[in-house]
Amino acid sequence: MAFRFEDLQVWQKAMDLDEQVNQLTKNFPKDELHILTSQIKRAADSVVLNIAEGSTGQSKAVFKVFLGYSLRSAIEVVSCLFIAKRRVYISDDVFTGLYNEYEVLVKMITALRNSF
């Protein structure tokens, strides 16, 4: 693999969840396209992108900062999931599944950040 981030399990997990969020938003109402749909997709993308950006050619201190950005973006995704659930765009089961997966991801990001 050409880039360091490709080997990181945390990046791979974030990529998988990013795809799930992208698929999920295809069922959101059209009037949410430029609001909640855009917000949750950008936050999910941000998790992946910040892990990648921070890992490549950066010091451990800089990588730690970017992992912090990823962590905050993951929390933003979870908050968007709460909104989607409350607005009945997603079922309780879908919410719980993604909530649990993001909880795992947040723990992975935190563990990696704390390893420096």
Side-chain angles (χ1 to χ4, degrees), residues 51-114:
I51 293 168
E53 185 176 352
S55 73
T56 304
Q58 305 289 333
S59 68
K60 288 182 179 180
V62 171
F63 190 18
K64 194 172 185 177
V65 170
F66 278 88
L67 289 172
Y69 299 151
S70 290
L71 183 62
R72 289 191 293 273
S73 292
I75 297 303
E76 184 177 350
V77 172
V78 172
S79 293
C80 288
L81 291 171
F82 272 101
I83 293 169
K85 179 182 162 195
R86 182 169 281 195
R87 293 180 184 171
V88 196
Y89 301 156
I90 60 174
S91 69
D92 288 342
D93 289 341
V94 169
F95 170 84
T96 300
L98 281 168
Y99 179 95
N100 291 338
E101 291 297 316
Y102 268 94
E103 183 178 22
V104 169
L105 179 61
V106 163
K107 288 178 182 178
M108 290 173 73
I109 295 168
T110 302
L112 181 56
R113 188 177 67 167
N114 291 342

Side-chain angles (χ1 to χ4, degrees), residues 12-60:
Q12 294 168 7
K13 175 79 169 173
M15 281 291 291
D16 291 343
L17 288 173
D18 185 60
E19 182 58 30
Q20 287 181 42
V21 166
N22 187 53
Q23 291 300 316
L24 178 73
T25 60
K26 292 181 183 208
N27 297 319
F28 283 13
K30 295 294 180 212
D31 66 336
E32 289 285 6
L33 184 61
H34 300 292
I35 307 167
L36 185 60
T37 300
S38 175
Q39 189 72 28
I40 194 171
K41 287 173 74 171
R42 286 184 294 116
D45 288 350
S46 177
V47 177
V48 175
L49 296 171
N50 279 299
I51 293 168
E53 185 176 352
S55 73
T56 304
Q58 305 289 333
S59 68
K60 288 182 179 180

